[in-house]
Amino acid sequence: ALEKLIDICKSYKSGKYTLPEFQSQIEMVLLPDNFKYSLEVDQHNAVNRLEKIYYFYSESEHKQHADKVADELIAAAQAELDK
């Protein structure tokens, strides 16, 4: 599941998904129970941040802001993998 989350983020950054598709893909990743209070919180926050980006920023700014969310999620997932 962690690798899948990282792959989704990287795929978004490379242009495979639109912002709504990226948000939906992240939301659908089911993380193991041991991440309930760590990475799952980051995942939930990322979904919420992407929704705000979608509604509050112009379309030309979506990628710039959503890439930051993707990078942070990649870093959080990678940190869990490195434990």
Side-chain angles (χ1 to χ4, degrees), residues 30-73:
L30 296 175
L31 296 170
D33 286 345
N34 56 315
F35 296 114
K36 189 162 189 71
Y37 298 107
S38 57
L39 191 57
E40 194 172 298
V41 173
D42 295 330
Q43 176 190 25
H44 178 77
N45 289 340
V47 168
N48 288 341
R49 286 175 59 202
L50 291 171
E51 188 158 340
K52 287 178 184 170
I53 290 167
Y54 183 75
Y55 286 108
F56 294 111
Y57 290 93
S58 67
E59 197 170 331
S60 63
E61 295 178 294
H62 284 177
K63 184 102 172 78
Q64 171 194 349
H65 292 285
D67 275 357
K68 289 179 190 172
V69 175
D71 288 338
E72 290 168 10
L73 209 45

